[in-house]
Each structure stands twice: as structure tokens, then as C-alpha cells.
Amino acid sequence: MDIKNLTTFIYAAELGSFTKAAETLGYSQSTVSFQIKQLETELDAQLFERVGHTISLTEKGREALAYAHQVSKLTHELQDSMQEEQLLRGNVRLAMADSLCTVFTGKGFRLFRAQYPGLSLKVLTAGTGELLRLVNQNEADFIITLDSHIYNTEYVIYREEKVGVHFVAGRGCPLCHMPEIPLGELVRQPFILAEKGMSYRRLMDERLAGLSLEIQPVLETGNTDRICALLEQDLGVSFLPDYVTDQAVAEGRLVRLPVKGFAVDVWQQLLYHRNKWISPQIKAVMEHCVQTMFAGGNPDSPLRFAPK
């Protein structure tokens, strides 16, 4: 049995399309169709229902997919165990909330590149719903969410932690001098917020809606650095994760506002699909994320993970 045919079968099943599988693998659609047909002949079973331009797994196809994942995992493990070269090479695809990208490529990234020059990274940014779709369709090897806590047996939680979020403003904002700020007073301020529906912004809106309150921002943007720069000019108030504002708050350029009766739980979680085989390459990148993006990590230290 040709391992390439099994790999093509896995991609076609997870992407739900021969065309998408062909684009991902760099094959023609006819090659994908031929490989699937060849596998069906070998197994003497129909793996896909083909109706119009859509495909779906048959019962035998779902059974074969489970075995294909096991074969793929064992094949990768065998290749890695036989590989004497210590330098990791290959591509890793990760996806995360937009505001986390600055942290990912910040302090410690130079050390990571020096340790793993053979790794090529593709970083995607999206909202939580799209992040889950990417990992479900195997378009991302792992994801880092910034949202309410995700409980789902489809995913393995590699690392998680609760993230602090606060209303913040420039030090010239009149609210900064109040010992405790009523929500009714706060929502009348001009707000500069992340895009509606995006993780912590959505959680803030839902909490306010539960209190029969709503904020109409004067500006919405996914660029948290731009938001902070505008706040420092005393142009409004925002609601941001603490990791975005820590340095500005420590330097006195921004102030966290003491708002009465308001709290939301935001979690940062590094997840991958339970059927995903975690290669040494993916493991190395996940460890970089743990050390640089989660509490307790040390971005100035060499990564704890070392390939065997």
C-alpha cells in the first residue's frame, strides 16, 4: 500500500474536497482522484460518497481514516527515530488571535531562530471560530485562542492560563483620578476598541449587554499597538488584555481604571486536534510559544525541548 495514497486520503477527508487536497499537496485534481481510486481498489471498499461536486466519507471511509491516521503517525515516528541529523527542518503552521502576534515575534524570537534555522513558520490570525475551523480542517498544526475557556474533547490542551483584562486610558483621562468608576459613567466615554466579535471584545459586549449597557466606539481596529498609541494621546478608553498594556502601565503612560462591578474571564489556550500527530518540529514551536507567551516561561533561556 502506497503511503502517499493514505496521505492524500487523509487530506481529502479532512478538507472535504479533492480540489483543496490537491492545492494543499501540490498535485493536480486528477492525481488526487486517481490515488483515492487506487486506494479504494486496494481496500475493496468505497471510501467517499461522490454527489455532484461534493464528497463525504462513507462508513468504511470513516473506519479507514482512523487507521490512516495511525499509519501516518507511526510512519513519521519511524522517520524521526531513524534521522541522525539534529537540525530540525520543515514547515509549521500556527494560528492565533491577532493581538498575540506581537508577543509571539517579540523577545525570544531571535533565540528561537538561532536554535532552529531549518524551521519555516506560517502564522495566521483569526477570531476564535475561524481558529477552530483551521485546526479542525488541518489547515493549522495548532492554535492559540484568547477567549472564554474551551472545553471540548476534540482538542488537546497543551497549555492554558487565565489572562487579565482591564479598561485602560491615558494618564490625562479624568476617570483616572476616581477611586472607583461606575459603569454608567464609564460607558459614556469615547471608546477605541478591537473589532466587534473578536474574543475579549465580544466577552466585554456580552457582559455589558447582561447589564443592559452598550458601548458605541468611536474607532474599531484589530491593531492593539495603534489602540495604545491613541490612548496615550488621551483620545479615549479601551478594554485590553494586560499583556498588551503591561509596559505602558509600568512606565506610567497608561492607567488601568478601577471599574465597579465588572469582570470577565478570558483564557489563553494552546490547543491542537486530538488526531493530530505532533512532530518534533511542531513540538519545538509549541515550546517557544509556552516560554514566550505564557506565565512562567523565560524567553531568554534556551528552549526546554530538544529533539532526540
Side-chain angles (χ1 to χ4, degrees), residues 50 54 77 82 140 170 190 195 208 227 232 244 301:
R50 299 165 175 83
T54 65
E77 289 177 352
M82 295 294 103
E195 296 164 345
L208 287 174
I227 292 175
E232 290 177 26
V244 172
S301 298

Side-chain angles (χ1 to χ4, degrees), residues 277-291:
W277 177 70
I278 301 302
S279 67
Q281 292 87 343
I282 297 173
K283 183 75 176 291
V285 181
M286 292 199 303
E287 278 297 305
H288 167 69
C289 292
V290 167
Q291 290 207 17

Side-chain angles (χ1 to χ4, degrees), residues 7-43:
T7 301
T8 298
F9 169 56
I10 290 172
Y11 274 89
E14 292 183 342
L15 296 173
S17 166
F18 287 179
T19 301
K20 290 181 179 179
E23 291 172 354
T24 303
L25 294 168
Y27 298 156
S28 66
Q29 186 173 342
S30 60
T31 297
V32 169
S33 297
F34 175 77
Q35 289 179 336
I36 297 298
K37 188 64 179 176
Q38 194 173 47
L39 184 60
E40 288 179 324
T41 300
E42 281 189 277
L43 297 176

Side-chain angles (χ1 to χ4, degrees), residues 107-113 115-116 284 287-288 290-292 296-305:
K107 193 175 183 182
F109 190 71
R110 179 183 292 274
L111 181 62
F112 173 82
R113 290 294 306 135
Q115 187 169 354
Y116 297 111
E287 278 297 305
H288 167 69
V290 167
Q291 290 207 17
T292 58
N298 183 357
D300 294 322
S301 298
L303 299 183
R304 292 190 295 273
F305 171 73

